[in-house]
Amino acid sequence: MVNADRAADLHDDEAPPAPGPATPAEWDALITEWDEIRQGYHLGDTPGTVLACARRLEASVVAGGPDTALWTFGLVLTGPYVIYAHPDPAAEAQVLKAMAAVDRALGQTDCEHDEHPCDMPEDDELDNLRYVLEMLARPERGADDDRDGPTADGHRPDGESDDWFEGRMTREVWACPRNLAGFARAFREG
């Protein structure tokens, strides 16, 4: 049984979002939660986590925040939960509103990239998005420091190949406003 007061709180988009992660370790913990939601075994407040991500994304877009890429990809990972796994029209509307804000604010930004990851969608993109989030959350790591991601030969520590990684795995390209808008648009249209 759902507590009616709690359900109302989940859809309160007037409340300012709580501060997001401040350290790489806090981002790692949140990225793990997001991946658990995507995989279907998150034990926490899943709808609340998804909606918090949507609120933080909207606030970051409005403020031109440095974590907009993290919030966007976090919502790409978790948003389907309130749309498909446990449909909730009000939560779905909040998620789609946040993605529309990304597309509207960032979609016409000029950039010098020939292509973006959003231009080449792959069926297993969500499987790889966790590595992108980890890379974006740890700017102190060099481009070749992929501790948990694929190795230089394109293989993850578990031995599986990650050809998608080659040539597309730079912070600059993944965090490009046009790439974020492209993922947000694809999410809304998907």
Side-chain angles (χ1 to χ4, degrees):
M1 177 166 197
V2 175
N3 178 337
D5 292 336
R6 177 69 181 126
D9 289 345
L10 289 177
H11 303 297
D12 180 15
D13 59 356
E14 299 300 319
T23 67
E26 290 172 351
W27 276 110
D28 287 346
L30 185 56
I31 291 166
T32 297
E33 276 189 72
W34 289 342
D35 196 50
E36 288 172 355
I37 291 169
R38 184 186 71 81
Q39 297 286 346
Y41 59 84
H42 183 254
L43 298 177
D45 177 14
T46 302
T49 301
V50 174
L51 292 173
C53 182
R55 285 191 297 272
R56 287 179 177 138
L57 173 57
E58 280 192 273
S60 186
V61 168
V62 168
D67 297 329
T68 299
L70 288 157
W71 295 120
T72 300
F73 293 129
L75 201 52
V76 167
L77 276 182
T78 63
Y81 178 86
V82 297
I83 296 172
Y84 304 111
H86 294 280
D88 179 332
E92 178 180 352
Q94 181 68 32
V95 167
L96 295 175
K97 178 181 166 198
M99 289 303 208
V102 172
D103 189 19
R104 192 173 44 255
L106 306 178
Q108 300 303 314
T109 306
D110 291 329
C111 78
E112 298 180 14
H113 305 122
D114 293 330
E115 59 186 14
H116 298 91
C118 68
D119 299 331
M120 302 163 279
E122 297 183 20
D123 292 337
D124 63 348
E125 196 72 54
L126 289 181
D127 291 334
N128 300 314
L129 208 48
R130 178 181 180 145
Y131 299 125
V132 173
L133 284 160
E134 290 170 349
M135 173 199 56
L136 292 172
R138 295 189 165 269
E140 76 280 2
R141 290 185 180 172
D144 295 329
D145 185 0
D146 306 316
R147 292 177 193 164
D148 296 325
T151 60
D153 65 357
H155 290 82
R156 295 191 313 241
D158 60 12
E160 293 186 30
S161 176
D162 274 321
D163 293 335
W164 70 278
F165 194 82
E166 294 178 24
R168 298 189 338 165
M169 196 58 172
T170 66
R171 282 182 188 85
E172 180 184 338
V173 172
W174 278 98
C176 176
R178 295 207 46 172
N179 187 55
L180 301 179
F183 269 94
R185 189 176 318 110
F187 182 93
R188 288 177 37 234
E189 294 171 357

